[in-house]
Structures are given as structure tokens and as C-alpha cells.
Amino acid sequence: MSAYLASYLAIAVSIRLLSGYLTVIEIGLLRSVGSLAIAASAVWAGGAEQRRDVLPPKLREDVVRSVLHLAGSLALIWSLAHLPLALVTTIEFSGPLFAAVLLLLVLRRRPGLGPAIGLALLATGIGLLVFRLDAVPNRDIAIAIGAVAMLTTTNLMLARLAAQRSTLSIVLLMHAIQLPLYLLLWLFVPEQWSPPPQPYRLAFALPELAVIGGAVLALIVGGFVSQAALANASRHASPLQLCSADTLRVPLITFAAYLLLAELPPAELLLPGLWVLCGVVITSLPVSVAAKLRPEQAGRA
């Protein structure tokens, strides 16, 4: 998960910096093109046998996951571009809650006592957070929460795919499916998705070209690494643990936003954030091997 956390950190900061120059859809398109190029190059270098194993017998699950991931990614990019980074990542703490609900609805599996206590703390912290954010429009909060719900669902679907196929195959197909959709959106979506009027600036002086180039590189590489690392991690942890550990990126993003962008989190986030962190720690505690879901079970969500 360390590679995933580092890549997400790079993605969040790069989206924030590029949002002053590119639209939300253009940022998503750039990430998709770059990740597709990296995955295709890796598959090609792997030889004829690896190229033959790229296409699965059925593409339906890949298509559904790719479309859902595209929608969630655009909502997340919009949130990272328009809201405080600490706020967006704190809202993402609701991921384990969606994971628990999906597992209950699809697999009829209830969390154990420890995870249930952790989820209760998470729900309480998120509730405190929502009630304290009077200055943030409800639409903005809804977009951020919607992004979490969609991306959590795709993470659970990834567990099944990762148990069946190689990581490169999953990533390559996802971006190959998404690329034409991004192009259609880029051509036909109206101008309200335009960037903020002023670019975000780093807390220290760097040439603008270096900032843009570094952000583009971080976005492309981070986009590929995040999906690859998440696919590998899904082979070794239960879905609920995976989603909970995923939210540990929140303090990293908050710290990076302060160091790189001189952005302090809103004071209203302190108490709910600490409360939710307690829930994350409890929910992420190891469970016995027998209590873990098999990968094929986890992917049915």
C-alpha cells in the first residue's frame, strides 16, 4: 500500500496544480493517455505470451468497472481542484462505510465486532464533519461523497479481476475502454467544467514550466502506479481492510498540502478528522485468516 499512498499523494498535488491550466476532463484524459501508454509498453515488452493473455473471455465486468471508475475519477478530480485537499481526503474516510454496505447487500456478510465499532466511529466522524461544514455548498459535498462511493465500488470489483488476471491486463483494458469516452466528453461537455480563474501556486519559487512538467509527469506515473499497486494489494487483504488502509493517505495529503501549497486545513476538520482516524485504525486491525474473504468472493461487489 505504500506505493499506492505515494502515488495518490502525487496525483492529488498534481491535479491541484494543473487545475489552473486544464479542465477536469482534460486532466482525466491526460492521466488516461499516459497510463495507457505505460501499460501498453509494459505488455509489449513482456513478449507474445503476455500479449495473448491481455484480453479476457468476457469484457462485461471490465467495461462496467471502467465506466464507473471514469465517473468517480472525474468527480474526485473536480473535488481536488475546487475544495481544500484536507477536506476532500477527510470525506474519503467514508470509503469503508460504503465497502461495508456493499458487502452486506451483495454477500450478506456483516462486519465483526471490532470492525463494527470502527465503522460506527467513522460514521460519527463523517456526521460531525458534514454538520460543521456550513460554508461548503451541499452540491460540493455530494460530488466528493459520490466520488468515494463509485471508487470504493470499483476497488471491490478490482479484487475479483486481480484474482483472475495480471495487473497489466486490468490496467491496460481499463484505460483502453476509458480513452474514447474521455475523448467524447472532451468534445461535447460544455464550458462549466473550465478551470479555476487563477492557477494554484507552490509555497516555494519554481519556474512555471518546471511546475507544469513535474505535475504532468506525476499525474501520469501516479495514475498507472496507483491502479497497479491497488490491484496487487487486493490480493493480500480483505476488502474492508483495504478500503480502511486506503484512507490513511489523509494525514499524508494534509501534511503535503501544508508543505507544498501552504494550505492549512479548515479548523472544523480537526475534531471530526481525529475521530474518524480512530475509526480507521480500529477497522483496519488484522483479522484471522479464516475471517478474510476469498478474493473471488470480494470481487462480486
Side-chain angles (χ1 to χ4, degrees):
M1 285 298 290
S2 58
Y4 173 74
L5 294 174
S7 62
Y8 184 88
L9 175 61
I11 291 171
V13 175
S14 61
I15 287 174
R16 195 57 172 266
L17 293 172
L18 291 174
S19 64
Y21 305 94
L22 303 174
T23 66
V24 170
I25 292 174
E26 287 168 344
I27 293 174
L29 176 60
L30 179 63
R31 177 184 174 182
S32 181
V33 170
S35 297
L36 180 60
I38 294 174
S41 300
V43 169
W44 182 262
E49 183 177 352
Q50 187 166 357
R51 290 195 292 271
R52 285 194 299 268
D53 294 337
V54 167
L55 285 177
K58 296 181 180 179
L59 281 173
R60 187 181 69 173
E61 193 167 355
D62 287 273
V63 171
V64 172
R65 179 179 179 272
S66 298
V67 173
L68 193 60
H69 184 273
L70 183 148
S73 295
L74 288 177
L76 181 61
I77 292 171
W78 188 95
S79 300
L80 290 171
H82 291 82
L83 299 175
L85 292 182
L87 171 58
V88 177
T89 49
T90 302
I91 289 177
E92 288 189 288
F93 273 134
S94 57
L97 296 175
F98 287 108
V101 171
L102 287 171
L103 291 174
L104 177 62
L105 293 177
V106 176
L107 300 179
R108 299 294 188 268
R109 184 178 180 87
R110 298 179 181 179
L113 179 60
I117 294 174
L119 291 171
L121 291 175
L122 280 172
T124 304
I126 294 296
L128 288 173
L129 179 65
V130 171
F131 283 118
R132 283 170 171 256
L133 294 176
D134 295 333
V136 179
N138 290 334
R139 182 202 65 173
D140 296 356
I141 297 178
I143 291 175
I145 293 177
V148 176
M150 287 182 282
L151 294 178
T152 298
T153 304
T154 63
N155 289 348
L156 296 179
M157 296 174 68
L158 181 61
R160 176 181 174 88
L161 296 178
Q164 298 171 344
R165 307 205 316 271
S166 70
T167 298
L168 280 176
S169 170
I170 298 170
V171 176
L172 178 63
L173 282 176
M174 185 186 77
H175 289 292
I177 294 168
Q178 288 181 349
L179 181 57
L181 300 177
Y182 272 121
L183 289 172
L184 288 174
L185 291 173
W186 181 58
L187 290 173
F188 296 109
V189 167
E191 288 299 319
Q192 55 258 37
W193 286 77
S194 59
Q198 295 295 329
Y200 292 98
R201 301 294 182 185
L202 288 172
F204 44 87
L206 272 183
E208 187 174 33
L209 184 60
V211 173
I212 297 174
V216 169
L217 181 62
L219 179 70
I220 291 174
V221 175
F224 173 79
V225 172
S226 65
Q227 286 297 301
L230 191 60
N232 288 328
S234 67
R235 296 183 173 97
H236 305 289
S238 69
L240 198 56
Q241 282 183 306
L242 192 62
C243 291
S244 299
D246 182 32
T247 59
L248 293 177
R249 64 179 181 259
V250 176
L252 295 177
I253 295 292
T254 304
F255 187 58
Y258 174 71
L259 289 182
L260 300 178
L261 303 172
E263 180 182 301
L264 288 171
E268 297 89 342
L269 291 182
L270 181 58
L271 179 59
L274 291 175
W275 194 265
V276 172
L277 271 175
C278 293
V280 170
V281 172
I282 294 174
T283 308
S284 303
L285 290 176
V287 296
S288 64
V289 176
K292 286 186 178 182
L293 286 175
R294 295 192 304 273
E296 63 271 18
Q297 286 179 313
R300 291 173 191 167

